[in-house]
């Protein structure tokens, strides 16, 4: 049993989302806000964050659109909320959601509406809102509410301060007070030993402290939101309401930005340093749009696989242990903790028709045998190293493959370094796969391809890496001139056909018609239908096709996007 089995097991789990929020009507909340959580003047900076760029690209891939906010929003408007919700939930593979009604927003859809897409939907009650309503009511005979009177109604919450969750974007809160170690006095209080505490969102940025609390206090569990929004904890008490527990939310923190991939992985690793695996539960804490559910689960699967894989490499876990841990974190712990009435058999997906949540499974798992790792040298030649899929998943994804300096300096005329490049066969770089570019090869169904960055060592870019050079130039344009460079390429090429004349094989232009000739296009339209279909599977947008002026010459214009993505699309197209 290897890492492929671990990845497959994680992909097949039907996730229990232990804390989320209602979806709103389509036009009630802009997509950009739900992806960034920014507001006011800060919103203009949101599209420049790592997480926003990644999330937008992944949504575009799910919808098959150009990777731009305008294109994604147009798709949403044309498809409608029900269609995109069905697509997102099906792709995410969620079996249960617990919805927190604490966010007071207009035009929210109720629990019944969410049940169209998920087998089980339950409600989390924010007791501070209920308490607020009670405290605002007038007492009979002129009496007023006191803390003692309130604790008579809710005895399990005596001396627990209750405060509302802060709005996103507030700056007055002191993050230092969000450290969960401040809860030790409460946890040591004998009156609360029957309560169970759940620390939401990995207690970021205090993940190590949360891990410690879960390891020494039996009543503490951790709720892992891969993309944390704020630090909250909840206390399920011993009296149930409609099968769920009354929950108190004490908000100690400010809404924080969503994390980079490195941040998500490091946060989870810190959690698992001490915390028992049967005390860690998953949630998305998503709200407003269905895309956030999809992204939350997608990133969770990727990050949990990465962390558990590394634990296996370090011999902390066996593969079997890691598979069981993933099922605990994604589903079993929450099912047992909240007494959710769904069968454990739902942990495995039987047949999900939607695109895979994990970035490395664009291709059919059982059919792919080889992976091509692509780079483009200084002469513009497309080159590749090919590795078996099992080795790619187990080794190459993390460590890359070696390549001599000389390979970047080869000319198109000869397989040797060009003169005066000073790049020789002495010394090497690492080709590090960019997993966001991993694609099934449309014309070779049993193979995948992935673009690679060039690193001196994993994490340290080589100065001659073409992709890194383009990123540097783009950053200079943005930082020094406030310019963003987009690109769209026109691909011009010739189509030839084979003839035999006097017993000799000869290649000649496929036609000799005029510029933009309709009849000329008729003759080869079937070929272009196949080309466009193949590019669609690679998420490459084709805008126009036409015959050019030369004999057998054609032009294919690609959609414009950020220059880094445009360059990747050009490589796939060629």
């Amino acid at each position: 049993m290897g890492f492929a089995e671990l990845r497959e097991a994680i992909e097949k789990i039907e996730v229990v989302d232990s804390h989320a929020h209602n979806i709103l009507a389509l036009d009630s909340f802009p997509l950009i806000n739900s992806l960034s959580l920014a507001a006011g003047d800060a919103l203009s900076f949101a599209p420049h964050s790592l997480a926003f760029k990644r999330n937008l690209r992944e949504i575009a891939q799910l919808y098959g659109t150009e990777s731009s906010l305008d294109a994604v929003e147009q798709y949403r408007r044309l498809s409608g909320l029900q269609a995109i919700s069905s697509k997102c939930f099906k792709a995410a593979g969620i079996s249960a959601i617990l919805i927190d009604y604490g966010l007071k927003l207009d035009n929210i859809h109720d629990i019944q509406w969410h049940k169209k897409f998920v087998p089980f939907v339950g409600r989390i009650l924010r007791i501070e809102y209920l308490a607020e309503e009670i405290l605002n009511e007038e007492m009979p005979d002129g009496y007023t509410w006191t803390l003692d009177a309130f604790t008579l109604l809710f005895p399990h919450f005596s001396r627990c301060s209750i405060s509302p969750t802060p709005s996103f974007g507030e700056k007055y809160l002191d993050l230092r007070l969000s450290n969960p170690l401040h809860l030790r006095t409460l946890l040591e209080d004998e009156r609360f030993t029957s309560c169970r505490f759940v620390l939401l969102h990995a207690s970021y940025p205090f993940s190590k402290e949360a891990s410690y609390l879960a390891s020494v206090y039996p009543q503490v569990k951790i709720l892992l939101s891969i993309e944390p929004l704020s630090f909250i904890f909840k206390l399920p008490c011993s009296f149930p309401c409609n099968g769920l527990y009354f929950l108190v939310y004490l908000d100690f923190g400010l809404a924080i930005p969503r994390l980079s991939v490195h941040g998500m992985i490091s946060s989870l690793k810190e959690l698992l340093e001490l915390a028992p695996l049967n005390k860690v539960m998953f949630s998305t804490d998503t709200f407003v749009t269905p895309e956030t559910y999809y992204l939350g689960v997608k990133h969770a699967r990727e990050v949990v696989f990465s962390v558990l894989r590394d634990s296996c490499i370090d011999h902390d876990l066996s593969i079997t242990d890691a598979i069981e841990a993933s099922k605990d974190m994604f589903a079993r712990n929450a099912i047992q903790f909240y007494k959710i009435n769904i069968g454990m058999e739902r942990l495995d997906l039987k047949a999900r028709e939607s695109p895979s949540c994990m970035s490395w499974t664009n291709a059919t798992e059982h059919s792919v045998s080889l992976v091509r790792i692509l780079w483009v040298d200084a002469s513009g030649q497309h080159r590749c190293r090919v590795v078996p899929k099992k080795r790619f998943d187990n080794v190459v994804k993390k460590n890359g493959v070696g390549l001599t300096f000389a390979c970047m300096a080869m000319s198109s005329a000869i397989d040797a370094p060009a003169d005066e490049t000073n790049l020789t066969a002495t010394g090497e770089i690492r080709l590090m796969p960019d997993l966001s570019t991993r694609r099934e090869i449309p014309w070779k169904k049993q193979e995948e391809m992935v673009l690679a960055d060039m690193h001196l060592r994993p994490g340290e870019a080589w100065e001659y890496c073409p992709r890194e050079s383009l990123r540097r130039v783009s950053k200079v344009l943005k930082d020094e001139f406030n310019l963003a460079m987009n690109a769209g390429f026109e691909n011009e090429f010739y189509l030839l056909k084979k003839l035999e004349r006097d017993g000799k094989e000869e290649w000649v232009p496929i036609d000799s018609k005029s510029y933009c000739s309709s009849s000329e296009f008729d003759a080869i339209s079937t070929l272009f239908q196949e080309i466009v279909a193949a590019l669609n599977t690679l998420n490459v947008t084709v805008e126009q096709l036409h015959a050019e002026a030369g004999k057998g010459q054609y032009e294919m214009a690609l959609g414009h996007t950020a220059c880094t993505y445009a360059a990747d699309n050009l490589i796939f197209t060629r």
Side-chain angles (χ1 to χ4, degrees), residues 329-341:
M329 288 189 287
F330 276 122
R332 287 196 296 227
N333 292 342
I335 290 173
Q336 294 169 0
F337 185 78
Y338 292 110
K339 297 179 172 58
I340 300 173
N341 188 24

Side-chain angles (χ1 to χ4, degrees), residues 313 394-402 430-433 457-458:
I313 292 173
N394 294 350
V395 179
V396 175
K397 281 200 303 189
K398 183 176 181 180
N399 301 309
V401 295
R430 306 298 295 178
L431 290 177
M432 299 300 299
R457 58 186 61 85

Side-chain angles (χ1 to χ4, degrees), residues 122-403:
R123 179 180 179 181
I124 291 176
L125 175 64
R126 282 203 181 195
I127 200 169
E128 73 267 31
Y129 287 118
L130 178 61
E132 183 180 7
E133 292 176 1
I134 294 173
L135 292 172
N136 286 336
E137 293 179 0
E138 293 185 3
M139 289 282 284
D141 301 323
Y143 288 98
T144 58
W145 280 108
T146 65
L147 181 61
D148 289 337
F150 184 73
T151 55
L152 287 174
L153 189 61
F154 297 106
H156 295 279
F157 295 106
S158 60
R159 296 194 181 183
C160 289
S161 60
I162 300 174
S163 59
T165 302
S167 301
F168 297 125
E170 291 175 348
K171 296 180 288 187
Y172 61 83
L173 292 169
D174 190 342
L175 187 62
R176 292 170 295 181
L177 300 180
S178 300
N179 192 322
L181 293 180
H182 290 302
L183 298 174
R184 290 189 69 250
T185 301
L186 188 66
L187 295 171
E188 296 283 353
D189 195 316
E190 293 182 357
R191 291 171 296 175
F192 302 106
T193 54
S194 62
C195 293
R196 293 177 295 169
F197 296 73
V198 181
L199 306 180
L200 266 70
H201 313 135
S203 295
Y204 183 87
F206 302 105
S207 301
K208 288 184 177 180
E209 289 84 349
S211 180
Y212 161 74
L213 291 178
S215 70
V216 297
Y217 291 101
Q219 69 268 44
V220 174
K221 289 181 180 283
I222 297 173
L223 192 58
L224 171 67
S225 292
I226 287 298
E227 293 184 300
L229 307 180
S230 62
F231 172 77
I232 307 172
F233 71 87
K234 56 187 179 182
L235 299 78
C237 273
S238 58
F239 47 96
C241 176
N242 295 330
L244 297 177
Y245 289 95
F246 282 104
L247 305 174
V248 170
Y249 285 72
L250 303 186
D251 195 322
F252 278 78
L254 174 67
I256 62 174
R258 302 188 180 197
L259 301 180
S260 66
V261 172
H262 173 77
M264 292 187 287
I265 290 174
S266 62
S267 180
L268 179 56
K269 284 186 174 182
E270 288 181 354
L271 273 185
L272 299 186
E273 286 180 2
L274 289 173
L277 293 171
N278 64 349
K279 283 191 170 188
V280 179
M281 298 184 292
F282 167 73
S283 80
T284 61
D285 197 35
T286 55
F287 74 115
V288 177
T289 64
E291 290 88 354
T292 52
Y293 279 93
Y294 167 70
L295 292 170
V297 176
K298 180 181 187 298
H299 296 158
R301 294 187 197 273
E302 294 169 357
V303 170
V304 168
F305 170 77
S306 178
V307 171
L308 293 181
R309 177 199 61 197
D310 289 351
S311 296
C312 293
I313 292 173
D314 295 336
H315 304 294
D316 286 332
L317 297 174
S318 67
I319 297 294
T320 301
D321 290 337
I323 290 174
E324 293 305 304
S326 67
K327 292 181 178 180
D328 284 343
M329 288 189 287
F330 276 122
R332 287 196 296 227
N333 292 342
I335 290 173
Q336 294 169 0
F337 185 78
Y338 292 110
K339 297 179 172 58
I340 300 173
N341 188 24
I342 58 175
M344 288 294 186
E345 68 274 5
R346 297 199 65 89
L347 286 176
D348 292 332
L349 288 172
K350 302 305 179 184
R352 192 170 343 139
E353 299 175 359
S354 57
S356 167
C357 276
M358 301 173 80
S359 62
W360 51 75
T361 53
N362 285 333
T364 305
E365 284 286 343
H366 66 273
S367 63
V368 174
S369 58
L370 299 174
V371 180
R372 302 183 191 183
I373 305 166
L374 305 177
W375 78 95
V376 179
D377 65 21
S379 68
Q381 301 296 307
H382 293 196
R383 302 182 186 273
C384 72
R385 288 284 181 88
V386 184
V387 297
K389 182 178 180 297
K390 184 175 181 179
R391 178 170 178 78
F392 181 88
D393 291 332
N394 294 350
V395 179
V396 175
K397 281 200 303 189
K398 183 176 181 180
N399 301 309
V401 295
L403 190 72

